[in-house]
Amino acid sequence: MATTTAPTIQPHQISYKEEYLPESDGKPMAETDVHREQMLSLLHALQERFRDKPKVYVSGNIFVYYLDENGQRQSVSPDILVVFGVEKKDRRIYKVDEEGQAPQVVIELTSASTKVEDIVTKHYIYANLGVQEYFLFDPYSETMRPALRGFRLKGGEYTPMTGSRLRSEILGLELTVEKGRLRLYDPKTGERLRTPQEAEADRRAAEKKAAKELKARRQAEAKAAKAEAENARLRKELAKLRAKQN
């Protein structure tokens, strides 16, 4: 029986990626339903806010890779991040050294199980990365009082923000807690950024209003057409009467 010899493959014939960077840690996107709903609401509001800004990238729950002080590749996964000065496009991971810009704003939705990581570990990481504003929010108010905290980077260290409404100078927005939810406001207009549910309700209301206006317009047009037809009939009858009189 003839034998087949496997071809010898030289090292240069095999193409390897320079490094493999995981895109997920296999953990749930959020701690609870409330955390997930809050994360998606914030993402929607911020993405809509900067929809027309091609150099603003808004994302969440994505691995951010960076090089530590020893040049080793490390990662952190913010719940919400906003980066100004980079292309708005879909990414599987975010590499700070390749993008040339760390996130300027990060929001973490903390919980009892992530409190130490959010308040200590990530606090240190984000300061070293140069994240200008770092916000922490506990939807259940279990681990923090008040439930919303904000920090602004000054001289390489975070300084706490004060007040019930925290002003983000980077985003041009105010963050506040309403009925246990973190909400975003435009301080110039006083308007609240919409959640997906509110945006959908607005869309349906607008569609209902448009349909009502269309129905009213068609009814008015039909009424006008009927009146015009009646006027035409009367003019015709009048013309006949005049013709008989002549």
Side-chain angles (χ1 to χ4, degrees):
M1 180 174 64
T3 59
T4 302
T5 303
T8 301
I9 301 178
Q10 300 299 324
H12 68 272
Q13 293 178 279
I14 304 177
S15 176
Y16 293 100
K17 290 184 178 180
E18 182 180 348
E19 58 181 342
Y20 169 71
L21 300 178
E23 300 169 7
S24 171
D25 56 8
K27 297 179 181 179
M29 181 179 72
E31 295 292 309
T32 66
D33 289 343
V34 172
H35 283 77
R36 181 175 60 254
E37 181 272 330
Q38 180 71 85
M39 184 188 301
L40 295 176
S41 292
L42 289 171
L43 271 174
H44 175 272
L46 290 169
Q47 286 172 344
E48 286 298 306
R49 174 73 173 183
F50 299 108
R51 173 190 292 274
D52 299 325
K53 303 292 184 181
K55 288 293 185 177
V56 180
Y57 174 61
V58 178
S59 187
N61 198 41
I62 187 174
F63 272 11
V64 174
Y65 284 93
Y66 62 95
L67 300 177
D68 63 17
E69 56 269 22
N70 298 316
Q72 298 298 310
R73 180 78 68 188
Q74 305 293 344
S75 69
V76 64
S77 182
D79 289 331
I80 304 290
L81 63 90
V82 183
V83 193
F84 291 78
V86 300
E87 184 181 355
K88 186 194 302 291
K89 65 178 182 180
D90 291 336
R91 292 171 171 83
R92 301 174 73 95
I93 58 174
Y94 187 92
K95 296 171 72 173
V96 174
D97 52 306
E98 289 189 0
E99 300 282 355
Q101 178 63 62
Q104 286 98 341
V105 179
V106 165
I107 302 174
E108 292 287 0
L109 306 176
T110 192
S111 66
S113 63
T114 64
K115 176 182 177 180
V116 174
E117 181 182 12
D118 293 334
I119 296 178
V120 180
T121 307
K122 288 186 174 181
H123 191 280
Y124 172 80
I125 291 173
Y126 293 147
N128 282 349
L129 281 177
V131 175
Q132 296 299 304
E133 295 176 341
Y134 179 33
F135 296 94
L136 281 163
F137 175 60
D138 178 3
Y140 288 105
S141 299
E142 293 176 331
T143 62
M144 295 194 314
R145 294 287 193 282
L148 173 64
R149 292 183 184 177
F151 303 89
R152 187 169 288 113
L153 195 65
K154 291 184 178 180
E157 296 183 356
Y158 279 129
T159 301
M161 301 180 190
T162 59
S164 58
R165 279 202 176 200
L166 304 183
R167 175 68 181 267
S168 169
E169 296 176 353
I170 305 295
L171 300 176
L173 297 171
E174 291 180 345
L175 292 77
T176 190
V177 180
E178 293 180 351
K179 298 180 180 179
R181 295 294 185 271
L182 178 57
R183 303 306 304 265
L184 307 175
Y185 277 83
D186 184 337
K188 294 182 179 179
T189 64
E191 294 183 355
R192 186 173 66 190
L193 273 60
R194 315 302 279 169
T195 66
Q197 295 83 358
E198 290 169 340
E200 177 63 16
D202 289 346
R203 184 189 66 79
R204 291 182 179 181
E207 288 181 349
K208 186 176 181 180
K209 180 181 179 182
K212 185 177 180 180
E213 291 175 347
L214 178 61
K215 181 179 179 180
R217 185 167 62 252
R218 287 178 174 174
Q219 288 176 340
E221 290 172 350
K223 185 177 180 180
K226 184 177 180 180
E228 178 58 30
E230 179 63 14
N231 288 336
R233 186 187 68 78
L234 292 175
R235 287 195 296 270
K236 188 175 181 181
E237 290 294 328
L238 181 60
K240 288 181 180 180
L241 290 174
R242 287 175 176 174
K244 288 180 179 181
Q245 291 175 354
N246 294 333

